[in-house]
Amino acid sequence: MDQSQQRTVTAPSSSRSYQFHPARAKIIELFNLYLGRGSRQKPDEPVRDPPNKSQKRVHAPSRDLPPENEQFIVDFEQLQSQFNDPDQLRVVTESVLVTMVLQCSNHAPRAEFLLFALRTLFRVSYINWDTFLPSLLSSVSAAEASLNQAGSSATSSQSLVPVPSGNEQGSVTVRDNAMRNSQRVRAAAINSLRQISCKIILIGIEFNLKPFTHAEIFQCMMSWLVSWDMREMGTEKSLAEWLRSCLEVMWVLVDEGKSRIPFYELLRSGLQFIENIPDDDEALFTLVMEIHRRRDAMAMHMLMLDQHLHCPTFGTHRISSQTPASVSVEAVAHLRYSPITYPSVLGEPLCGEDLAMSIPQGSLDWERAVRCIRHAIRTTPSPDWWKRVLVVAPCYRPSSQAGPTPGAVFTSEMICEAIIDRIVELLKLTNSDANCWQEWLVFSDIFFFLIKSGCTDFVDFIDKLGLRLNGDDNHILRTNHVTWLLAQIMRVELVMTALNSDPKKVETTRKILSFHREDKTDPNNPQSVLLDFVSSCQNLRIWSLSATSRAYLNNDQLLKGKQIDEWWRSKGERMMDYMNLDDKSIGMFWVVSYTMAQPASETVINWLSSAGKAELPGLQPNERVMMMQEVTPLPMSLLSGFSMNLCLKLALQMEEALFVSQVVPSIAMVETYTRLLLISPHSMFRSHFSQLAQRNASLLSKPGVTLLVLEILNYRLLPLYRYQGKSKTLMYDVTKIISALKAKRGDHRIFRLAENLCMNLILSLRDFFSVKREGKGPTEFTETLNRITIMTLSITIKTRGISDADHLVYLQTMLEQILATSQHTWSEKTLRHFPSLLRDALIGRVDKRGLAIQAWQQAETTVINQCTQLLSPSAEPSYVMTYLSHSFPQHRQYLCAGACMLMQGHPDNVNSSNLARVLREVSPEEVTANIYTLVDVLLHKVHVDLQRGHNIKEILDKHEANLAFFFWTHEMLPLDIFLLALIDRDDDPHALIIAKILLERPELMQRINMYCANRGPPEHWLFTQVFKRNELQKALGNHLSWKDRYPTFFDDIAARLLPVIPLVVYRLIENNAMDTADKILTAYSHFLAYHPLRFTFVRDILAYFYGHLPGQLVVKILRVLGLSKIPFSESFPQYISNPSSPTCPPLDYFATLLLNLVNNVIPPLSSNCSSRSGSMADILNSSARPLHGKTPGASQPGPANASEGQKAFYQIQDPGTYTQLVLETAVIEILSLPVSASQVVSSLVQIIVNIQSTLIQSGSGFHGAANGVGQGSALPTSPSGGSTDSMSASRSTCMNTASFVSRSGYTCQQLSCLLIQACGLLLAQLPPDFHTQLYMEASRVIRETWWLTDGKRSQGEIDSAVGYALMDPTWAAQDNTSTAIGNIVALLHAFFSNLPQEWLDGTHLIIKNLRPVTNVAMLRVVFRIMGPLLPRLANTHTLFNKTLALLLSTMVDVFGKNSQTQVPVEASQIADLIDFLHHVVHYDGQGGAVQSSSKPRPDILVLIGRAADSLRPDVQHLLSHLRTDPNTSIYAAAHQNNAKTNTS
């Protein structure tokens, strides 16, 4: 080989500061002497690699042999005596040794001498292994890098050599051989370097190295192994001799007898070695198998049982974004949400688009993702949810966003598959002659939304849909529904681009047209007419886009196009009477909406304005304003068939008429507009304040526009905004209006409407929220809103928990923001029902009501004098302005109180006109202050009169007359604010009495009845008559109407009480005034039917006061709902009808509840799921599973009309989706039962523990007559899923399951697993009282499992039994080995996965109930229950530490220094638990997936070290690295090293 092909190892200087030390040259000379190297060779000259066989042999010159090795130490000691500083000499010696190792690694005799010299020098303390080994490894790495760089340079230079044309093939062969020789030489050099390095390490490692050195060695060995596994070194086995030496080092490092490095480090290393193990390398094979075995065992503790079944159900409003409190509210609104995660090989929950893209189609992870999307398409969750999980298909992304999306878990291919699955599902349902037009309408809305969002490639979607419908499922496309569906999206920009400019546009068009089918089922049915003509509509649209498609048109389609034109000319161009259209005409108008959207839109607008215009009455001659006359609004039945294009055009034209035009719109126009938004919530929603501001910023400065927007939002679209997840954003927008107006004089109407809307918005929020958009500073809320916010927080925390631990951090800041501007103190009776988090924060507030009364007494004389002048019957009207300009605000706030003092029960004593004018002229903020001071003074006056001996009835009558003056006679004050102020003073015994008197006043009841009569039915979208507009003064009263002339649409003083009445009921119950609450509910039940969120009110009040409500009051609360419209269980009414003699329902009742959740809430299983066993596809086959909302059989629970087909959003605006309705209905049922939480939980647990055996025995011969779960096993297992003797003897353990399985549409095995999931979901929605009972019941079932405490069994038998017991129920159900423990742990895990983070704190009760743990079997059960919680708690460090400490305490129970176990147990038997502890503390320290740089937090090391002190020495040894001693722990040493680095 020529000079250019030789490769050398260059020796980088290890310690440059000692390069010129005088001892260096002498030490080098001494080593050269003993290495047999001549003095002619320069000390640092690189040594050439050994020649290969192609080189000629050369004869070395003769020279003297080196001295004997034993003489080396004598010579070195002589050299040592020449220098005074031994430390400097040691460093220089180490540096020279590193150089010699690099130069002589490929010379066997010299290498052997160097090993001898190392041992010898160490004995005389001239080698410090903790400094020498890191220096050596660093130099070796640098040398290898130099070799690789030189090799790559040579390869590239050879590739640039020109090849002679005459002998090209031979030249290429020579070049390839040269490259291979070069690689072989380089690999040989690296091989020899690594071999000697490993030998040196094996020498040094026998001595007590520091943990940091061990870590350095381990990292170096790992980098070598990883590079070899990635084939960076080539694949020739002869060149990998170092590998065995490296493995030997690894085994020595991870030897658990010495525990130099925890074995866990191998588990998180990422080594795979599956396809790269040499056939004869037993050592490597053993290491790899051990890594994979222990990695799998460790990962199991990170995963919940049946975790692959855990999937969002969309049965709750909760979206846990898990964002830090420092993130702004604006940013939180756009953060991504990962509804599912994918488990890594270490069991960690991972997400990210790059990860999702790597998931193979058909795998279990793929099926779980598609299962989630399918369920979302069926149940139509919030568009906000979709926006947080969707990703734009790669083909539609701008180049600036080319990278993968972090946090994403779905891909466009998954979305595409789920959409096609839903289309096929609906086609099959259509072919079964079921009336599923509503399902198609709901799907078309979300389909439009998904296509417009660009989340799937349209061309790819058409290709796959064509393959599906023309392939295996070619028999199901019998109707034109697919053509109609595609016609909806023809005008979407992405679709138009694909049909115009895509290279595959002709093929795509042909496939679109291939979906056409003739549809002539019923020529007079509107849907049939639309489907019959829609192909022509679609083709005409395609024709207009591209001339290439015209060849596909046939005469029949052209003829239908002419029929559409003829119908339109004959009927459509005239004014259409939409209320009298026959079915065929409706269908034809729907057809026109696809072909001629603009003329159709103009026709609708013309109809809405057909009654003409009239002048607004009551205006001055120079204030002429026109108002549209009323017609009937368009019915939902007609609007539902409009094309999406027409709906969008109509919305824009109506917004022009509503908000831009100078003509006051009709109620019919407003109502039709809101119906458009409600009928397609995904496609039609718009945020009104932002949209109007974008259109014209000055629009909202017009009082009429602002009033109309506020009315639409408050009385029509409030549930829609909640469904969209926009309630918080709307709250911030409305707060701006309130903040701008509260100090502005005179603007009472807009202010009070905005405040009422804000009340409703705050009360509608059922997850944590920031009170300010930017998150800093005191709130801009009014005093009333501040108090309502506290009440909402209380209800949310107590009934639903705080979903994200980061919200707990922000809670204190939020309270400070609210209380900074509020002086209110809550009564002891109210605080008693607050959750402890709020109660502890508020209970210490000083009650300043006494100070308020003192301030009144000090100002009373001045106030009475001013009021006498202002309010005397003879007072001049002009004095009003004098009073306003000269009085002080601190005196004006007592104006109403002073008026009351002057009345003395005789309202005629005061000048009502002057008082009314002052209250109109002052700011809304001052009116609110007057109301609060009036309440305080009024209650104080009642006490004073009582002390003077007056009769209470006379006192109350007098004040009732005074208040009637304010609220009924002259309508001077807002009643809703006064009632709220009054009930907030419930610490006064007379406050609630006065509130009751006011609510029972005939004037109020008359106004309520009038409102209900004029308003029409609560379901306003069903109203098909002409709306009656109420007169402004009659609707709003004198105070709010005053000079205003803009008419009302839906606003009314009575409607302002809708958010107030529920709060009154809350306060009455808090004060044990159950009879009064009963009367109020009875009197106002018909009025509460108009509450936009009455379902939520009923659910929350039952949960908030669970255990405190008498049965009769529960029934009254339930009647608020309108029982016939809610899908209650058929037998539910009989269990609540007689509260005086409560009986616990049988197991059948609870099982039916769970079955209803399985059929309507739990995501349906996929038919294509694969599994580890290969037979899971059969287990998860769900072809017989009923579609959403369609439980087969006549025996389905609930009224027949409660579950017929899919509900549109406008039919279930509260709670919002059908899954929420079914789940929350089950919650309401359980909360209403007149039995204890203990009885309910006991029944549910009994069902779950016995579920597999019960279903299989009752199944129609699926497994024959099974003898019980696990009975046939020779291993000790749970007795048939838990013996019935563990349950109450008085309860039957049998369920009537004859038709139970068939009603579900699942097999016995499927149903048993899904019922466990349903039960966990249901229990997680119930208040914490039920959770405590669940923990106690689960602990009891586990403790009573006989084999866990059977001392006669060997440890092997017990371990085997634990393995069977803790198997996923999904897998165990296949071979009938389900156990009580497996079922109960799966139930707990399903429960945990649905529980808000705050409530996870209570899970520790399980461990406390199971302690003391006396054997390893129980210890494994405890870890299996609680282990998977730790990854979820990683972002709530306090709770993580608490849970980890409890797990460690159970380990101390079994392996403590003083523990006595029945069977002696070696520490090695819990190696998987030790690995898990190592892993989970790394996960916590990282705050995400464990990386190579991850390390435990220092406080975690303190925690584990404290627990380890109580453990046996052999177990302490296994945890030695999870302690704070840097002399024994590699992690503590790493922290110490980082601290030193940071300090330096």
Side-chain angles (χ1 to χ4, degrees), residues 341-396:
T341 54
Y342 302 107
S344 70
V345 293
L346 299 178
E348 304 160 326
L350 303 179
C351 58
E353 189 183 5
D354 50 350
L355 175 66
M357 302 248 328
S358 68
I359 294 171
Q361 189 168 359
S363 66
L364 200 61
D365 283 333
W366 177 280
E367 287 301 329
R368 182 175 177 225
V370 176
R371 177 186 178 219
C372 178
I373 305 168
R374 284 193 201 104
H375 192 53
I377 291 175
R378 282 190 191 98
T379 58
T380 60
S382 160
D384 181 53
W385 182 88
W386 282 108
K387 290 173 183 176
R388 286 172 183 257
V389 304
L390 291 178
V391 291
V392 176
C395 61
Y396 298 137

Side-chain angles (χ1 to χ4, degrees), residues 1501-1521:
L1501 298 181
V1502 172
L1503 173 67
I1504 297 178
R1506 194 181 302 125
D1509 291 337
S1510 303
L1511 291 168
R1512 286 173 8 196
D1514 55 340
V1515 183
Q1516 280 190 30
H1517 179 70
L1518 297 178
L1519 294 172
S1520 59
H1521 289 280

